[in-house]
């Protein structure tokens, strides 16, 4: 009953921001920390700008999200706050999804996969990622009497340049097709039944060895594809619940790509296209639109069932605190804030925003209308004066004509006399 209550209280979509610490490379370049986390949900970015007279000033950007974690937060704290409710929801027949979004080198893969080699700042080994922590809780919950009939299956694939590759089967090419019921099926995807945490981690480690990585300006070993790990709970070959962990490729701009190779630029264009399609799907989902543009990219197409009906989604925005990456950090926060803004589907708040916009428009229009009215007043006064003058002229002419006529009659009478 407690888990069911937690499932009902879990919001449909949560947007969470995680700040990573400065790297050795950034410290060697004397980069400063320009990101502050306050009150557990507010992110403040202090951007240094230059005026026209070449004097520098600091502009603060404030963002508010469901939760924000500072650089001293570890993966386990993040998991307890954000991901554990998704594991609980999967056992209640929900389809849950967790995204890791951010620029290249912002710590998405570390958040999802952890670090088993000691390449982090403190040289610590065996740091678990969200994958491992979720699987541990999943198998512990599967031991409950009401869930012992469920079986756990794992599939791991990537999306690279619009094509699907099976990471558990030597990167075999896959096809995503819709059936008559408009359900998306990935043809040829291998599913492996697992019974322990060790088997899941072996499958993940095997799949990561086939994932496409490349060198970029921000990271020597950057992920160039979207890696999707799906954990399915089944009973008699029927889906009971589903968990999807997605390590998105790093967002970047074409102007920031130092490599002039054609393939690198094509990778970046395809990554940005899929991220834009993902945002459009979340927009349609949050606004309860009748049509959701799932076919905008392969990423949104294969995740169609994760966005419909009984679903829970968590988006983790990873940001860099370095002053050299301030513009990338702001782009990530604006993207996430847009999702957060779209998440507020309260009709009253939308109407309030509309009325506020109308009032602002009226306030902007009233001075213009007043100016137009003041400009129109002298014109009207001139017209009135001209009409009054014309009437006076007519009266004078009439009176003069009458006087002339009477004078003429007097003259004639005098002549006659």
């Amino acid at each position: 009953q407690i888990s069911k209550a937690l499932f009902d209280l879990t919001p449909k979509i949560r947007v969470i921001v995680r700040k990573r610490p400065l790297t050795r490379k950034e410290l060697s370049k004397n980069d400063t920390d320009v990101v502050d986390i306050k009150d557990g949900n507010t992110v403040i970015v202090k951007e240094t700008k230059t005026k026209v007279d070449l004097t520098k000033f600091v502009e603060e950007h404030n963002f508010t999200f469901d939760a924000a974690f500072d650089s001293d937060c570890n993966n386990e704290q993040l998991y307890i706050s954000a991901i554990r409710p998704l594991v609980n929801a999967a056992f209640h027949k929900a389809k849950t999804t967790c995204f890791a979004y951010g620029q290249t080198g912002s710590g998405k893969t570390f958040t999802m996969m952890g670090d088993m080699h000691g390449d982090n700042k403190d040289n610590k080994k065996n740091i678990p990622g969200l994958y491992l922590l979720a699987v541990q809780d999943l198998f512990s919950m599967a031991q409950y009497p009401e869930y012992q009939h469920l079986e756990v299956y794992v599939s791991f694939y990537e999306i690279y340049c619009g094509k699907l590759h099976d990471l558990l089967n030597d990167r075999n090419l896959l096809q995503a097709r819709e059936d008559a019921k408009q359900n998306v099926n990935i043809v040829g995807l291998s599913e492996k039944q697992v019974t322990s945490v060790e088997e899941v981690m072996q499958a993940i480690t095997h799949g990561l060895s086939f994932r496409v990585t490349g060198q970029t300006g921000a990271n020597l070993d950057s992920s160039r594809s979207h890696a999707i790990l799906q954990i399915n709970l089944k009973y008699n070959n029927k889906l009971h619940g589903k968990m999807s962990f997605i390590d998105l490729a790093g967002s970047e701009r074409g102007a920031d790509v130092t490599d002039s190779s054609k393939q690198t630029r094509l990778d970046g264009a395809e990554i940005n296209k899929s991220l834009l399609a993902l945002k459009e799907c979340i927009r349609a989902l949050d606004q309860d639109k009748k049509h959701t543009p799932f076919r905008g990219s392969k990423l949104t197409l294969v995740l169609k069932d994760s966005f419909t009906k009984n679903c829970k989604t968590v988006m983790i925005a990873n940001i860099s605190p370095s002053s050299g990456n301030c513009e990338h950090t702001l782009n990530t926060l604006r993207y996430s804030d847009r999702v957060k803004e779209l998440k507020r589907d309260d009709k009253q708040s939308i109407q309030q925003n509309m009325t506020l916009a109308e009032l602002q428009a009226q306030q902007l229009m009233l001075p213009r209308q007043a100016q137009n009215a003041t400009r129109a007043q002298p014109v009207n006064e001139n017209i009135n004066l001209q009409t009054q003058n014309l009437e006076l002229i007519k009266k004078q002419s009439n009176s003069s004509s009458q006087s002339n006529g009477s004078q003429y009659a007097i003259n004639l009478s005098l002549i006659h006399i």
Side-chain angles (χ1 to χ4, degrees):
Q1 292 178 355
I2 295 175
S3 62
K4 185 66 170 63
L6 290 173
F7 169 72
D8 295 334
L9 291 174
T10 304
K12 193 173 184 180
I13 293 179
R14 295 186 67 199
V15 180
I16 296 171
V17 174
R18 185 184 190 184
K19 168 188 169 183
R20 69 159 172 81
L22 291 169
T23 61
R24 297 191 190 95
K25 183 179 179 181
E26 292 168 346
L27 292 173
S28 63
K29 294 191 299 182
N30 295 325
D31 287 349
T32 58
D33 189 343
V34 296
V35 179
D36 291 334
I37 306 294
K38 290 187 177 181
D39 301 329
N41 62 351
T42 303
V43 182
I44 302 174
V45 182
K46 299 177 181 179
E47 182 183 13
T48 303
K49 287 189 174 182
T50 306
K51 295 182 180 179
V52 180
D53 57 355
L54 301 181
T55 58
K56 294 185 178 181
F57 67 101
V58 176
E59 181 179 357
E60 288 191 357
H61 304 268
N62 295 319
F63 302 91
T64 303
F65 300 96
D66 291 313
F69 295 89
D70 213 334
S71 57
D72 57 353
C73 171
N74 55 32
N75 284 349
E76 189 171 357
Q77 293 173 346
L78 176 64
Y79 169 79
I80 294 173
S81 175
I83 310 303
R84 180 171 284 174
L86 297 185
V87 179
N88 179 41
F91 282 92
H92 289 87
K93 300 183 179 181
K95 296 176 180 178
T96 62
T97 308
C98 177
F99 296 99
Y101 173 79
Q103 75 166 105
T104 300
S106 59
K108 300 182 300 298
T109 303
F110 175 80
T111 300
M112 286 293 182
M113 309 290 183
D115 188 4
M116 301 299 174
H117 305 290
D119 296 331
N120 53 83
K121 183 178 179 181
D122 299 327
N123 291 326
K124 293 182 180 179
K125 295 184 179 181
N126 298 326
I127 296 179
L130 299 183
Y131 286 0
L132 178 59
L133 295 171
V135 170
Q136 288 175 351
D137 270 1
L138 188 140
F139 278 105
S140 63
M141 289 188 67
Q143 300 299 321
Y144 294 167
E146 59 269 27
Y147 301 133
Q148 288 183 356
H149 63 283
L150 298 177
E151 298 175 343
V152 182
Y153 290 84
V154 173
S155 58
F156 197 22
Y157 61 97
E158 71 172 357
I159 302 175
Y160 177 68
C161 286
K163 295 181 180 180
L164 280 68
H165 300 275
D166 191 352
L167 295 179
L168 298 182
N169 193 12
D170 299 331
R171 294 194 82 247
N172 282 351
L173 190 63
L174 306 173
Q175 298 293 333
R177 295 172 181 170
E178 287 188 78
D179 56 14
K181 296 181 180 179
Q182 295 185 347
N183 295 323
V184 178
N185 300 311
I186 302 178
V187 181
L189 179 64
S190 59
E191 270 190 336
K192 182 179 180 182
Q193 184 176 0
V194 290
T195 57
S196 64
V197 178
E198 290 75 16
E199 292 183 6
V200 177
M201 296 313 298
Q202 288 177 2
I204 294 174
T205 305
H206 175 74
L208 288 176
S209 62
F210 291 96
R211 189 180 179 188
V212 176
T213 58
Q215 182 176 353
T216 61
N219 194 357
L220 296 177
D221 190 19
S222 175
S223 303
R224 307 301 295 165
S225 64
H226 306 306
I228 303 173
L229 174 69
Q230 290 184 343
I231 303 174
N232 298 325
L233 301 176
K234 292 185 177 182
Y235 176 65
N236 290 335
N237 290 328
K238 290 184 179 180
L239 187 65
H240 176 84
K242 181 178 180 181
M243 293 186 65
S244 299
F245 291 91
I246 304 165
D247 181 17
L248 295 173
S251 61
E252 60 186 15
R253 302 181 306 174
D256 297 325
V257 178
T258 57
D259 192 357
S260 60
S261 66
K262 180 180 179 182
Q263 188 60 41
T264 303
R265 294 186 179 274
L266 287 176
D267 293 350
E270 192 65 34
I271 290 168
N272 292 334
K273 175 185 173 183
S274 59
L275 294 176
L276 178 61
L278 177 62
K279 185 179 73 171
E280 294 297 326
C281 282
I282 296 176
R283 172 185 299 177
L285 176 68
D286 292 330
Q287 293 181 349
D288 292 330
K289 291 186 177 180
K290 295 182 180 179
H291 172 68
T292 305
F294 293 112
R295 298 181 182 179
S297 71
K298 290 290 185 181
L299 175 64
T300 54
L301 182 63
V302 299
L303 296 176
K304 181 179 179 180
D305 59 346
S306 298
F307 285 122
T308 55
K309 298 179 181 179
N310 189 15
C311 63
K312 303 285 184 181
T313 303
V314 172
M315 177 178 172
I316 302 174
N318 296 84
I319 58 174
S320 167
S322 171
S323 55
N325 296 325
C326 184
E327 189 173 357
H328 292 283
T329 299
L330 286 173
N331 289 336
T332 302
L333 292 174
R334 286 170 184 146
Y335 181 98
S336 306
D337 185 63
R338 181 66 177 153
V339 173
K340 172 66 180 174
E341 181 184 358
L342 294 168
K343 191 175 78 68
R344 303 174 190 141
D345 53 356
D346 188 6
K347 302 294 183 182
Q348 294 181 356
S349 64
I350 295 174
Q351 291 178 357
Q352 289 175 359
N353 292 333
M354 292 175 63
T355 54
L356 286 173
E358 291 175 356
L359 289 173
Q360 290 177 356
Q362 289 178 2
Q363 290 175 358
L364 291 173
M365 290 299 296
L366 282 175
R368 296 181 182 178
Q369 292 176 356
Q371 290 177 1
N372 294 333
T374 54
R375 291 175 183 172
Q377 283 179 1
V379 177
N380 294 331
E381 290 177 357
N382 293 331
I383 294 172
N384 293 330
L385 288 173
Q386 290 178 359
T387 53
Q388 291 176 3
N389 292 331
L390 286 173
E391 290 177 356
L392 288 173
I393 292 170
K394 287 181 181 179
K395 289 181 180 180
Q396 289 177 359
S397 62
N398 292 332
S399 62
S400 63
S401 62
Q402 290 176 0
S403 62
N404 291 333
S406 60
Q407 185 67 32
Y408 180 72
I410 292 170
N411 292 334
L412 284 175
S413 61
L414 289 173
I415 292 169
H416 180 69
I417 293 169

